[in-house]
Amino acid sequence: MSTSTTPVTTPAVSPLAQAHAELGASFTDFAGWSMPLRYASDLAEHKAVRTSAGLFDLSHMGEIRVTGPEAGRALDAALVGRPSAMAVGRAAYGMVVDHEGGIVDDLVTYRLGEEEFLVVANAANVEPVVVALADRARPFDAHVADETARWGLVAVQGPASVAIVTPLLESGPDLATLRYYRSVTAVLAGVEVLLARTGYTGEDGFEVFVPVERTREVWDALLAATREHGGVPAGLACRDTLRLEAGMPLYGHELSQDTTPFAAGLGRVVVLDKEPGAVGLEALQRLAQEPPTRVLVGLRGEGRRAPRAGYAVVSGGEAVGEVTSGALSPTLGHPVAMAYVDAALAEPGTRLGVDVRGTELPVEVVALPFYRRER
């Protein structure tokens, strides 16, 4: 008799794993990576980001470099946007879709030079994104390289971010002139980095791409400066509630290959008048003319009990949608959720219910985002 066992996969570790352990972090397996879930309190970390700053380790994200004389055209064919039209130093949110317009991943593309781009993918989707980009770039004079193992990524997010980062810059821009969704090469705490004014919390802040072997140096310098301004290290748990309050979708929840950019309310990033041949373009052109049957909306609840992913949204005793993310909002003090609901019921002000183990909780459709920072 023979037996077989399923091989145990050891999670990948961040270059900052030792730093997190020293800080007493609780770890979780996220997309095949062992990452800090929290250091002390989800609520305290969330509130620190909203009022001062939080320092995040995002080294699980994927970095894919696309270079060559036709790198821009290759990305035009691979993504839903038009990266070839981006100015050097700009960044753009976008997606990879399949031939039917389903979302393979949502990502951010940075233009680093006339013939050089950096595509940052979600950790769970690095492999399919690399495969898709390489396949779609094949007709062009462009090269696709997965550089995930070469980079650490840390983020300072919150209203104190500029005050935290500025004293550590030894060369680079006046941060007052570095606008949202821009990036620049800089020297920070003695290390050459790519400094981007991007983030996933709804707050001002910076994402810092660091050579992997020097990530700890940059983390330590940023952590000391963050603490000087009343900030804290922050884990993935609060990052999820922060992005939820900001109405930002999460792949695997609001986005998947079963959803399209239009159903997710992201049609604004889709360019439809591109050169023929872009993967999914014909499907997207068709879908743009066909209103989706279900669309993504915000839901505001009452009391303290929050809808959770997978709960049914109901109206008149009938299921009319499904919650994709939900939590008791630390900032707003009431339950919030995102859900796909029948398009006819998506108007803000519509009263619906969420079935929580047989109990119907009242909710109201509201516009996204739930939270918007003061500018």
Side-chain angles (χ1 to χ4, degrees):
M1 185 173 104
S2 63
T3 60
S4 61
T5 58
T6 302
V8 176
T9 302
T10 302
V13 295
S14 160
L16 297 171
Q18 183 60 36
H20 302 318
E22 292 168 4
L23 290 167
S26 299
F27 290 86
T28 187
D29 187 342
F30 183 81
W33 286 74
S34 178
M35 297 298 293
L37 183 65
R38 67 180 62 82
Y39 297 87
S41 158
D42 300 353
L43 182 61
E45 291 167 22
H46 181 110
K47 289 186 173 181
V49 175
R50 290 280 182 250
T51 59
S52 52
L55 181 64
F56 296 86
D57 178 10
L58 308 179
S59 298
H60 58 299
M61 301 293 282
E63 289 84 19
I64 305 154
R65 194 176 299 268
V66 183
T67 56
E70 294 185 312
R73 289 186 62 208
L75 287 173
D76 288 353
L79 307 180
V80 299
R82 186 178 279 132
S84 66
M86 293 166 55
V88 173
R90 294 292 298 267
Y93 176 77
M95 283 163 272
V96 177
V97 298
D98 61 23
H99 288 274
E100 301 304 315
I103 301 170
V104 175
D105 196 23
D106 67 324
L107 37 74
V108 176
T109 301
Y110 299 87
R111 187 162 199 168
L112 307 183
E114 290 297 332
E115 299 182 2
E116 184 178 14
F117 297 80
L118 185 69
V119 177
V120 179
N122 286 299
N125 295 329
V126 174
E127 183 176 352
V129 170
V130 171
V131 169
L133 294 184
D135 180 65
R136 299 173 192 190
R138 194 165 288 119
F140 302 94
D141 187 0
H143 178 69
V144 175
D146 180 3
E147 295 190 351
T148 303
R150 293 181 54 187
W151 296 99
L153 175 59
V154 298
V156 185
Q157 299 283 296
S161 296
V162 171
I164 289 166
V165 173
T166 297
L168 299 177
L169 280 179
E170 298 171 23
S171 74
D174 175 355
L175 294 184
T177 67
L178 185 65
R179 298 172 61 189
Y180 191 50
Y181 264 66
R182 306 292 201 278
S183 69
V184 66
T185 299
V187 176
L188 190 152
V191 181
E192 185 172 290
V193 303
L194 177 67
L195 181 68
R197 200 160 197 166
T198 47
Y200 189 56
T201 64
E203 295 296 338
D204 191 14
F206 303 92
E207 294 180 321
V208 187
F209 297 84
V210 191
V212 67
E213 69 277 4
R214 304 198 68 180
T215 309
R216 179 69 189 262
E217 296 173 56
V218 171
W219 170 271
D220 287 346
L222 285 170
L223 180 59
T226 297
R227 284 175 161 164
E228 286 178 8
H229 289 272
V232 298
L236 295 183
C238 81
R239 191 166 182 254
D240 190 48
T241 52
L242 289 160
R243 69 90 193 168
L244 174 59
E245 288 182 345
M248 295 178 168
L250 175 63
Y251 196 89
H253 288 251
E254 288 70 44
L255 307 178
S256 73
Q257 281 189 260
D258 295 325
T259 58
T260 71
F262 303 105
L266 296 170
R268 65 185 182 277
V269 306
V270 178
V271 176
L272 296 173
D273 60 345
K274 294 200 293 187
E275 186 177 333
V279 174
L281 178 59
E282 291 184 6
L284 292 170
Q285 290 170 334
R286 183 185 73 252
L287 290 165
Q289 303 304 314
E290 301 172 359
T293 57
R294 283 191 171 179
V295 295
L296 187 66
V297 300
L299 300 176
R300 173 179 174 150
E302 302 173 2
R304 308 290 290 177
R305 200 173 179 186
R308 300 295 181 182
Y311 288 3
V313 181
V314 296
S315 178
E318 299 292 328
V320 295
E322 183 175 312
V323 175
T324 53
S325 298
L328 178 63
S329 165
T331 304
L332 304 174
H334 58 73
V336 297
M338 289 194 279
Y340 280 97
V341 303
D342 291 352
L345 299 173
E347 189 68 24
T350 302
R351 303 292 298 183
L352 300 170
V354 173
D355 184 352
V356 181
R357 302 184 185 91
T359 299
E360 185 174 321
L361 299 182
V363 294
E364 179 183 348
V365 177
V366 296
L368 293 170
F370 304 105
Y371 165 86
R372 196 185 302 273
R373 69 182 174 90
E374 294 183 7
R375 295 179 183 271

